[in-house]
Amino acid sequence: MTIRRDIENQARSLIKEYGLLFPRAIGLQFGNQVSEPLGDDHPLLSVISPLLSIHENVCQQQSKSDNEVRRLAKLDETTRRLMTVPGVGVVTAYFPPYDR
């Protein structure tokens, strides 16, 4: 998540230097929100496009990791029980065994 957020903040700051603003967005919606104010021929596009490509890849990998943790958590009875506690989600509850 840190890498994704850093890329988003870097793109935001570059765009803001040109006086352009766009609605707050994270994850995969971010790419669409950034592309709209720039259009197809903005000078920043050559810098922003590679960032957006990396951002998209990071989002996809993060989604895969999240899905894997959810899948593993569903298989573990202790994790499922811990998740019944208010405020305890999958990431907090799941603790993989050392023997794997």
Side-chain angles (χ1 to χ4, degrees), residues 4-72:
R4 188 201 75 218
R5 187 182 62 237
D6 289 347
I7 293 170
E8 290 170 359
N9 288 338
Q10 186 174 11
R12 274 190 191 92
S13 68
L14 287 169
I15 290 171
K16 193 172 185 180
E17 287 181 21
Y18 275 80
L20 302 172
L21 297 174
F22 57 94
R24 187 109 173 116
I26 59 172
L28 293 174
Q29 298 88 17
F30 180 79
N32 296 333
Q33 295 292 341
V34 170
S35 298
E36 286 177 19
L38 291 180
D40 293 332
D41 59 347
H42 198 280
L44 263 184
L45 211 51
S46 63
V47 176
I48 296 290
S49 291
L51 282 176
L52 292 179
S53 177
I54 294 167
H55 180 267
E56 183 179 349
N57 192 1
V58 167
C59 287
Q60 289 171 353
Q61 292 303 316
Q62 181 181 354
S63 179
K64 286 179 185 177
S65 295
D66 289 348
N67 290 339
E68 181 65 10
V69 169
R70 281 189 203 97
R71 186 187 70 75
L72 292 170

Side-chain angles (χ1 to χ4, degrees), residues 80-92:
R80 287 193 314 267
R81 255 186 286 139
L82 284 170
M83 288 175 16
T84 62
V85 176
V88 176
V90 175
V91 174
T92 304

